[in-house]
């Protein structure tokens, strides 16, 4: 999903074109991946709601002025004005990423953004027994011929690649600040 203005609500999620946002007044960022921040920059001048970690990254990486960033705690319901209650739920996608559960006169809407399903999500207190009127579901990787490995399996696969190439350096780049870590694989017990 590359963002949307939710019809019949004052809500826009991962959508940063104010001119095309119609009546949206409440802007939400699900996480800091670049496909969700297209159009968001240091010139942003409206309140923007996100998780606390995403708030820190947003200010550091895109230089959005701190006065416009409104971090909301994950797992708690937050009343915004008289018309919207939002609960942020961990989306299990990347650090700081969240799903949004919106409630108001428009009904109950769950916006997943990018998420990785786990069975633990079935017992999420904010969702238990709740009727969802509208679901905005990101199904980018929901093709049966393209199953995603579990995090544990992906970790084992990465470790295997590193083990089979012991003379190579592994470099992990994180973010635009060019923080680099380099290490050599160690075959010592417990090194992975």
């Amino acid at each position: 999903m590359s963002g949307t203005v939710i019809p019949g609500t004052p809500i826009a999620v991962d959508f940063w074109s104010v001119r095309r946002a119609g009546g949206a007044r409440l802007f939400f960022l699900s996480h800091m991946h670049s496909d969700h921040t297209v159009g968001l920059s240091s010139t942003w001048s409206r309140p923007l709601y996100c998780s606390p970690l995403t708030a820190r990254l947003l200010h550091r990486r895109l230089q959005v002025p701190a006065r416009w960033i409104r971090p909301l705690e994950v797992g708690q319901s937050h009343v915004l004005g008289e018309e919207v209650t939002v609960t942020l739920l961990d989306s299990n996608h990347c650090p700081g990423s969240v799903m949004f559960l919106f409630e108001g006169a428009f009904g109950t809407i769950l916006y997943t953004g990018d998420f990785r399903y786990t069975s633990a999500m079935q017992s999420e207190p904010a969702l238990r027994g709740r009727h969802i009127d509208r679901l905005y579901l990101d199904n980018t990787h929901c093709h049966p011929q393209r199953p995603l490995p579990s995090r544990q399996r992906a970790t084992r696969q990465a470790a295997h690649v590193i083990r089979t190439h012991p003379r190579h350096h592994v470099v992990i780049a994180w973010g635009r600040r060019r923080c680099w870590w380099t290490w050599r694989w160690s075959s010592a017990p417990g090194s992975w």
Side-chain angles (χ1 to χ4, degrees):
M1 247 182 234
S2 59
T4 191
V5 175
I6 301 178
T9 76
I11 299 166
V13 184
D14 298 337
F15 189 91
W16 311 111
S17 174
V18 174
R19 275 183 265 155
R20 295 186 309 139
R25 296 182 318 284
L26 301 171
F27 293 85
F28 296 85
L29 175 60
S30 64
H31 66 291
M32 277 296 296
H33 284 169
S34 61
D35 58 323
H36 293 258
T37 60
V38 173
L40 187 55
S41 71
S42 62
T43 62
W44 185 258
S45 60
R46 288 179 168 52
L48 182 163
Y49 301 92
C50 58
S51 72
L53 178 56
T54 297
R56 289 192 301 274
L57 293 170
L58 179 62
H59 181 64
R60 286 185 191 147
R61 292 182 61 196
L62 296 182
Q63 288 80 48
V64 170
R67 70 179 172 275
W68 298 116
I69 302 172
R70 308 288 197 273
L72 301 174
E73 289 300 320
V74 177
Q76 297 178 15
S77 294
H78 306 272
V79 178
L80 304 178
E82 295 180 15
E83 51 194 337
V84 176
T85 299
V86 62
T87 306
L88 282 65
L89 307 170
D90 183 0
S91 71
N92 194 33
H93 173 59
C94 67
S97 63
V98 294
M99 299 183 283
F100 296 106
L101 180 66
F102 298 109
E103 300 172 273
F106 48 77
T108 302
I109 299 170
L110 178 62
Y111 184 98
T112 68
D114 292 348
F115 76 107
R116 180 183 282 262
Y117 174 79
T118 66
S119 58
M121 290 175 171
Q122 292 181 21
S123 60
E124 169 58 51
L127 297 176
R128 189 177 296 136
R130 182 158 333 250
H131 174 79
I132 304 295
D133 297 301
R134 281 190 269 177
L135 174 64
Y136 286 80
L137 177 67
D138 186 324
N139 61 359
T140 305
H141 298 287
C142 195
H143 193 281
Q145 267 52 52
R146 295 183 187 162
L148 289 175
S150 69
R151 285 184 181 217
Q152 293 81 12
R153 182 163 184 205
T155 300
R156 285 193 307 272
Q157 289 172 332
H160 174 75
V161 169
I162 293 169
R163 278 189 202 105
T164 58
H165 298 87
R167 298 190 194 282
H168 291 81
H169 287 281
V170 176
V171 177
I172 299 174
W174 180 76
R176 292 173 55 192
R177 295 183 71 204
R178 305 236 192 284
C179 297
W180 298 91
W181 290 276
T182 305
W183 74 89
R184 275 197 195 271
W185 172 256
S186 167
S187 58
S191 60
W192 191 266

